[in-house]
Amino acid sequence: MRETVKNRILQNAQLKVGRDEQQDIANIRRMRELLPKQAKLMIDANQAWDERTAVQRIQRYQEFELTWVEEPLQCDDIEGMARVREQVGVPIAFGENVYGQRQTRKVLEQRAVDIIQPDLSKQGGFSGCLQMVEMAASWDVPYAPHFLGGAVCLAASIQFVASIPGAVILELDANPNPFRERLFTQTITVSKGEISLPRLPGLGFELDEEFVEFYRIPLEHMSL
């Protein structure tokens, strides 16, 4: 297993778009100005556009040399994703909302995606995401795991990327999150775009028992 995981998302950037077009353009332009010249810039539309709008917006944003556009359409509009991909000339990424081998195969057979994005917390953990990644590899489609949550899923995602070939990047949320930053006794840190793999058994981290106890809620106090 490699000693470090390439996690270039913090040296690069992915920006949320999909609401006001002029504000999106201003934000993308500003982000491009702030990033190093060699840095990669991605955008995530969060399923906000219809097919026509997606094509128009992405073509307009080509001046910013985007590395990919994530979820330009509703996640289940696979045919639409394929048509957008054919027209825009910018790589299309999605997959956090693709479930099971049948849907994954449909995405790949219709050439709807350039980078597939499994999420270990949503698609069956290691085994479920491994099936998706192996299927994508047979179509020469690389993967970039989606992650947005707590420290346990991040630890699992780190181990997944380190052990399964074909990853291009590991997504990390930049927003503060104590359940990502303080749940473990050892903080998961990024240095120069890399995360050092832990040497402990399992996922490689130990829970901070004081933190866990502080947030513990007895089952009898929970309403079902």
Side-chain angles (χ1 to χ4, degrees), residues 16 38 54 82 141 213:
K16 299 291 186 181
Q38 72 278 11
V141 173
E213 187 61 33

Side-chain angles (χ1 to χ4, degrees), residues 28 34-36 39 47 57 59 66 74 78 94 103 108 123 145-146 152 168 195 199 204 212 215 222:
I28 297 171
L34 291 172
L35 288 171
Q47 310 179 57
R57 298 282 178 92
Q59 288 178 338
L66 300 175
Q74 290 292 312
I78 297 172
F94 67 99
Q103 194 172 23
L108 296 167
Q123 292 152 325
H146 174 270
V152 174
V168 295
I195 297 176
R199 297 184 178 275
V212 172
Y215 285 98
M222 298 180 66

Side-chain angles (χ1 to χ4, degrees), residues 147 150-157 179 183-184 203 207:
F147 162 76
V152 174
C153 183
L154 176 55
S157 298
F179 286 90
L183 184 62
F184 293 150
L203 295 181
L207 293 175

Side-chain angles (χ1 to χ4, degrees), residues 109-156:
E109 286 180 340
Q110 297 201 19
R111 306 288 181 180
V113 68
D114 294 282
I115 300 96
I116 202 159
Q117 298 177 297
D119 187 315
L120 270 73
S121 68
K122 301 172 71 174
Q123 292 152 325
F126 285 94
S127 57
C129 288
L130 179 58
Q131 290 178 346
M132 177 182 289
V133 167
E134 288 181 337
M135 289 181 66
S138 66
W139 269 269
D140 293 323
V141 173
Y143 75 99
H146 174 270
F147 162 76
L148 184 65
V152 174
C153 183
L154 176 55

Side-chain angles (χ1 to χ4, degrees), residues 15 18 87 128 136 142 145 148 151 158 160 164 168 178 182 185 187 219 224:
L15 187 68
Q87 296 180 68
L148 184 65
I158 291 170
F160 189 87
I164 308 301
V168 295
R182 297 174 54 195
T185 56
T187 303
L219 288 177
L224 301 179

